[in-house]
Amino acid sequence: MQLTWYGTAALILEEDGTSIAFDPFCGLKLNETIHSGHLSAGELGLTKIENVFITHGHFDHIARIPAIYKNAPVKLWCTQTPYNTMLREGMRPEQMQVIRPGETINVGPFTVTAYQSRHCKFDLPVIVKTVFRSALFGHPVYLFRLLKMFLFYPENKEILLYEVLCAGKRIQIMGSLNLSADVEYPTGADMLILPFQGRSDLEKCGLSIVRRLKPGKVFLDHYDDSFPPISDRISTENFEKILREQEKIPCRALEKGEIVYG
């Protein structure tokens, strides 16, 4: 089984000629239109995927879906809120299927189980930094556009963690840096894909999640500069060092286009 990261939280898993994708958003400059027909190199890599799983409905996870898949023979697996958003954006009902926490979907060699999760809470330092970057670049209109997109692409507390079983390996894929307090997640997965974004105390939050899930190794995504000029690339080096030295767990940031073998 191989995994490829395309930026933000966009991932493809491949095994025996079958591919599935997660959160197909490869980044977008805020001076570009979400509905542009132009596809980036990363998005072109996602166009032929027939089964796409969505962790939640924020714009930086689903907003480019119509540009990539509007006329494609795709099945989008998502909760009710992103389902409704995609209907509004022009996707057809037959292209989508609502998935609920606890459900398991079989796609070729992949068995995908959805678990209820939570979105990270943006703290004050992150909010202040975002506002400051908007003022610094002299483009407050970008900040307004960013806020507008969050309003138009709600998550409504519908966040999923996916566990994928394939070729005897378990991979856990998170869409945001948080877990539900009252959910009993499987522990000891071979690989955890951890989004490293959204908090000023990323290392503390990430460490708490890793200690709870106890994965064999950790790969970081969503740390990249997803919607410039308001966003920024997050340094992952210290967190990688903490996991390696304190927890004895291999950890590193994924690189765009890199293939990782499970």
Side-chain angles (χ1 to χ4, degrees), residues 99-114:
I99 186 172
R100 297 173 177 81
E103 292 187 354
T104 295
I105 308 300
N106 292 303
V107 179
F110 298 100
T111 299
V112 184
T113 302

Side-chain angles (χ1 to χ4, degrees), residues 119-124 126-127 176-177 195-202 205 222 234:
H119 199 278
C120 72
K121 296 180 180 179
F122 303 120
D123 58 354
L124 184 59
V126 166
I127 294 171
S176 188
L177 192 68
F196 204 65
Q197 187 78 253
R199 297 281 305 180
S200 62
D201 56 350
L202 287 169
C205 291
H222 213 334
I234 305 298

Side-chain angles (χ1 to χ4, degrees), residues 6 12 21 26 39-49 68-69:
Y6 286 86
I12 289 180
C26 302
L39 299 182
S40 68
E43 290 168 334
L44 287 171
L46 292 158
T47 54
K48 296 181 180 180
I49 307 300
I68 302 171
Y69 296 111

Side-chain angles (χ1 to χ4, degrees), residues 41-61:
E43 290 168 334
L44 287 171
L46 292 158
T47 54
K48 296 181 180 180
I49 307 300
E50 296 182 353
N51 285 272
V52 177
F53 293 84
I54 306 301
T55 62
H56 64 285
H58 278 161
F59 82 94
D60 55 339
H61 293 254

Side-chain angles (χ1 to χ4, degrees), residues 142-179:
Y142 291 160
L143 179 62
F144 173 76
R145 186 179 182 193
L146 183 65
L147 294 173
K148 183 178 178 180
M149 285 193 289
F150 270 109
L151 290 174
F152 282 8
Y153 291 86
E155 44 94 358
N156 199 28
K157 298 183 179 180
E158 297 175 16
I159 314 291
L160 296 178
L161 176 154
Y162 289 108
E163 179 166 285
V164 182
L165 176 62
C166 180
K169 300 288 187 178
R170 287 192 295 132
I171 299 178
Q172 292 179 333
I173 297 173
M174 298 178 64
S176 188
L177 192 68
N178 204 353
L179 295 172

Side-chain angles (χ1 to χ4, degrees), residues 178-189:
N178 204 353
L179 295 172
S180 295
D182 57 351
V183 173
E184 186 174 344
Y185 300 100
T187 60

Side-chain angles (χ1 to χ4, degrees), residues 11-14 16-24 43-54 65 68-78 91-97 105-110 112:
L11 300 163
I12 289 180
L13 295 182
E14 301 175 68
D16 289 340
T18 299
S19 302
I20 59 176
F22 296 82
D23 291 351
E43 290 168 334
L44 287 171
L46 292 158
T47 54
K48 296 181 180 180
I49 307 300
E50 296 182 353
N51 285 272
V52 177
F53 293 84
I54 306 301
I65 284 177
I68 302 171
Y69 296 111
K70 190 169 184 178
N71 298 310
V74 68
K75 180 67 72 175
L76 300 173
W77 301 89
C78 59
M91 297 297 289
R92 303 186 305 276
E94 60 268 25
Q95 293 177 295
M96 298 184 288
Q97 178 67 50
I105 308 300
N106 292 303
V107 179
F110 298 100
V112 184

